[in-house]
Structure formats: C-alpha cells, structure tokens
Amino acid sequence: MRSIKSIAIATALCASVAAPAQAAEDFKVGLILPFSGVYGGLGGEIARAFELGLEVFGGEVNGRKIVLVKEDTEGKPNTGLAKTKKLIHSDKVDVLVGPVSSGVLAAMRDTVHNSQTPFVIANAGHDGISGSKCSPWFVRTSFSNRQIVRPMGQWMYDQGHRNIYLMAPDYAAGHQMMGHFKAGFEAAGGKIIGEEYPPLQGTKDYAPYLAKVKAAKPDALFVFFAGGAAIQFVKSFGDFNIGKDIPLTGAGWLTSPLYIKKQGEGANNIIGSANYVTTIDNAANKQFHAAFKAKHDRGGSEFGVQGYDSARVIVEALQAVNGNTSDKAAFMDAIRNVSFDGPRGKLRFDPINGNIIQHIYVYKNVKKEGVIGPEVYDIIKDVKVPSDGCNS
Ligand code: PHB
C-alpha cells in the first residue's frame, strides 16, 4: 500500500506539471501629462498617439502586456511632482512618459533621477535636461527649447530683419526660448528692441502687450506660445490687425495642425520653426497619418508624433531586453540605443545627453482655396544641442 505521504507527493508533482505557467507581470507605463489647463489639449494628443503607437508596434512583449497609468499634471510643477512620486512609489511604473511643460519637467527631475526610473520625455524642452541637469535616466523624443529656436536667430537676420520684439509666457520654456533666439539673432548682428512675458495660465487678452509691440515698430515679432495660449494669442493678433506691418514669427507650435482651424485669419502668413511638419515625405510618416486618420478621423500633429515615437522607443527597447526589465540600467541602455526610421526620418539619441537629433523645418502659413496651412521653405538639417555641463 502506498503511504499517504507518497500519494500527497505524487499529487503535488502532477499539480505542478499541470499548472499553467505563471503569467508574466504587466509592464507599466506612467503617462504623466497635462489633461487639463492651458496645455490640456497637447497632453491629450500625446496620449492618443502613444496608444496608437502601441497598437501599431505591439502592446505586448514576451508575454508582458503594456498597460498605462495616466496622471494629470494640470501643467503645474507641484501637481506634476506629486503625481510623479505616486506613479513611481505607489504604482511602481516601469517607465514614465511626459510631461509637456518645462516647468513640470524641472520639478520632477531629481525625483526621477534619484529613484532611477527610466523616463522618455515626450514634449517638455527644458534645456537643463540636455546640459547641467542631464541624467542617464532620461531620453527625449521631442526637442530641447534651444534646438527649435536657436537656428532661427541667424535665419531671421538672413531674411533682412534687424529689429525684433519678443513675447512668450512667463515660465522656464518662455524665457529659455526667447534667450536662445536673442543669442542667435544678436550674434548675427540683429537687435532685440523689446520683450514681454505675460502669465502662462489665464491670460485672456493679449491686446495690452500687442499695443506695446505696435508702438515699438519692430521689423518682426518673434514669439513662443502653445496650446490654449497659442489659440488665444493668434486670435488677439488677428483682431489687432498689425500683421501687414509686423510679421508674426516664432516657435512652430504657434499654429499646430491640432488647433490652426480655431485661430482664424491671424494664422495666415505666420512663419514658424518646428521639429515636424505633416508633409514630410517618407513611408513612416504616411503610415502614421493613415493610422491616425483611421482612428481619429483627422491627421496627426507634431505632439502626436512625439507620443507615437515614444511608444515605439519603449516597445523596441522592451523587445531588445526580451521583456526583462529587472536590470533597470540595462533597460535604460536599450532605450538610449533605439534607432529607427520614423515619421521625422531617422530617429536617434545623442549618446551624451539623450536628446533626439533632428531636422528643424522653417514653414510659412499660406492660404489656398480658403484653407490656411503650412508650406516648408527651409530645412536646417541634423540639429544637435550642446551637452554643456552634462557628465552623464
Ligand atoms: C515647454 O514647456 O517646454 C513646452 C510646452 C509646449 C510646447 C513646447 C514646449 O509646445
């Protein structure tokens, strides 16, 4: 007779042979973006395109399902920091993606660095992250503030402008972008004859600022505004009716495809510099637009491309480590080494500061058959940003 003990062992062995393999743990992505406030529309677009990217490039790697945990920064540094801590310490996300605002990025930087959490920056351009505040735990699929506007200083001078007025919201990105434009423009020989910095949240009427611009009679106005602020600013500019005397130029988000239709006549003739235009002629860009249109009944935008590319970077890095992220440094290394042909052409990261290297497009909005839209008229190729002070 077999003993109870031997039967028990045999049963246990059978059970262990028959038991299904333990399901691999989900891979958690924390989307830390503004879903409300002046940049709420931009956060929504990045999230939408990130989700699309997972559908196109694969939402599961080696049995690990990629799941999203979304948190709203509201575009506010304190809220962004609190939500970042929650995602890292309570939700235990494997990677973070976001934010939109440079101010929010600056606030969360030390928490991310000290907790060694892989981070894919999908918009915020704060220059410190590519310089003295760089960290091996970040890559940036979007841009640095300097990258977008610095080349425009020389470019505007070459177009014959000599006296320029500046305007941007009063926070990190506004001051950094105007500072870089000014440095490039002055080095070329131009002069900045006035600067205005209205509050980022809550400025409803730009007329008082535009009155000062009008009185100063500059050759051109160079600005940075995005999202809700850009919609409001361009409307005010159109209403003020100074465009025929003072050309409106600036960082390209001034008239994103995401909101140009809401901006009215003020959007016509604007000159902008951008890291993406919808008309880039390559297979990946066509695929992006077709997929976006099939799902959302409209084309994608520059914010969308950043979300879509961020998803692909994460999927490809996860594939490179066979779904195993227990060695966070190895996973981060895989992220930094991702390179592919995307909607913006070859995507690759600067090996020192982790910032994307990319072309900058200079476009002008023109009206054709009643519709205002951008036409590219210059491309500044392979713009890298200096890693000054970055010892990552
Ligand atoms: C930023 O704060 O870095 C920022 C926000 C919106 C943009 C570009 C840059 O469109």
Side-chain angles (χ1 to χ4, degrees):
M1 220 178 98
R2 289 162 78 197
S3 70
I4 298 216
K5 195 173 164 201
S6 71
I7 292 170
I9 290 170
T11 315
L13 280 174
C14 278
S16 76
V17 169
Q22 209 190 338
E25 228 176 277
D26 286 347
F27 176 86
K28 281 194 193 173
V29 180
L31 286 188
I32 178 87
L33 289 163
F35 295 110
S36 60
V38 74
Y39 290 153
L42 316 191
E45 178 79 347
I46 292 170
R48 221 171 275 132
F50 188 91
E51 285 167 359
L52 179 67
L54 293 185
E55 283 169 31
V56 172
F57 302 109
E60 189 173 314
V61 175
N62 264 24
R64 289 190 77 183
K65 193 163 177 274
I66 303 179
V67 297
L68 304 183
V69 188
K70 294 182 189 172
E71 287 294 346
D72 183 3
T73 66
E74 300 165 22
K76 296 178 187 154
N78 287 343
T79 311
L81 176 58
K83 301 276 179 74
T84 300
K85 287 183 176 164
K86 177 213 168 251
L87 287 166
I88 294 173
H89 301 300
S90 306
D91 298 311
K92 306 204 182 311
V93 295
D94 295 289
V95 66
L96 282 163
V97 177
V100 164
S101 158
S102 284
V104 174
L105 179 58
M108 61 177 51
R109 186 266 174 207
D110 287 353
T111 297
V112 172
H113 176 77
N114 294 334
S115 62
Q116 307 192 330
T117 307
F119 200 116
V120 178
I121 304 171
N123 190 78
H126 198 292
D127 292 305
I129 294 291
S130 305
S132 61
K133 285 295 209 173
C134 76
S135 156
W137 297 97
F138 288 90
V139 287
R140 183 149 46 193
T141 57
S142 50
F143 52 85
S144 85
N145 293 331
R146 173 188 174 121
Q147 196 173 27
I148 300 287
V149 296
R150 186 72 167 233
M152 284 302 276
Q154 181 71 51
W155 193 90
M156 289 287 286
Y157 187 86
D158 292 344
Q159 298 295 305
H161 301 298
R162 295 295 177 265
N163 298 302
I164 287 187
Y165 210 104
L166 305 178
M167 204 188 300
D170 188 12
Y171 81 110
H175 289 283
Q176 289 181 357
M177 289 200 224
M178 295 304 102
H180 285 303
F181 177 81
K182 185 175 184 172
F185 188 60
E186 288 181 345
K191 197 166 167 229
I192 299 302
I193 60 168
E195 301 176 47
E196 300 295 329
Y197 294 94
L200 171 63
Q201 310 259 10
T203 304
K204 292 265 175 295
D205 183 8
Y206 290 90
Y209 304 98
L210 290 167
K212 291 193 195 168
V213 176
K214 185 178 177 184
K217 295 193 171 64
D219 298 340
L221 173 59
F222 188 89
V223 307
F224 155 62
F225 288 105
I231 297 173
Q232 203 50 49
F233 176 79
V234 172
K235 274 191 195 158
S236 295
F237 185 82
D239 293 345
F240 217 74
N241 210 18
I242 51 173
K244 52 188 183 322
D245 303 318
I246 305 170
L248 177 54
T249 66
W253 309 284
L254 193 54
T255 64
S256 166
L258 190 57
Y259 40 74
I260 190 168
K261 285 195 187 129
K262 295 187 184 155
Q263 292 177 315
E265 282 302 305
N268 202 10
N269 296 319
I270 285 178
I271 291 177
S273 55
N275 61 340
Y276 174 76
V277 284
T278 52
T279 48
I280 294 171
D281 189 13
N282 67 39
N285 194 31
K286 287 189 183 118
Q287 186 196 14
F288 166 62
H289 276 282
F292 202 98
K293 189 144 204 292
K295 201 165 175 206
H296 300 292
D297 204 26
R298 63 172 171 85
S301 63
E302 64 278 60
F303 305 106
V305 160
Q306 294 166 181
Y308 183 77
D309 281 347
S310 298
R312 183 164 178 188
V313 165
I314 290 170
V315 170
E316 293 202 1
L318 200 51
Q319 285 165 344
V321 295
N322 294 317
N324 180 354
T325 50
S326 53
D327 181 345
K328 288 201 286 181
F331 179 50
M332 193 62 220
D333 241 29
I335 290 180
R336 282 205 167 204
N337 282 319
V338 168
S339 174
F340 53 74
D341 288 322
R344 285 174 278 177
K346 181 142 229 74
L347 179 143
R348 72 252 197 242
F349 299 113
D350 186 315
I352 298 174
N353 62 27
N355 195 66
I356 182 173
I357 300 167
Q358 61 193 337
H359 298 346
I360 298 301
Y361 298 84
V362 185
Y363 71 78
K364 181 170 184 178
N365 283 343
V366 290
K367 194 169 186 175
K368 274 190 184 156
E369 290 161 16
V371 181
I372 301 170
E375 262 183 13
V376 173
Y377 74 100
D378 223 341
I379 303 177
I380 304 164
K381 296 229 162 119
D382 297 318
V383 181
K384 264 180 97 162
V385 292
S387 311
D388 297 346
C390 168
N391 303 309
S392 95

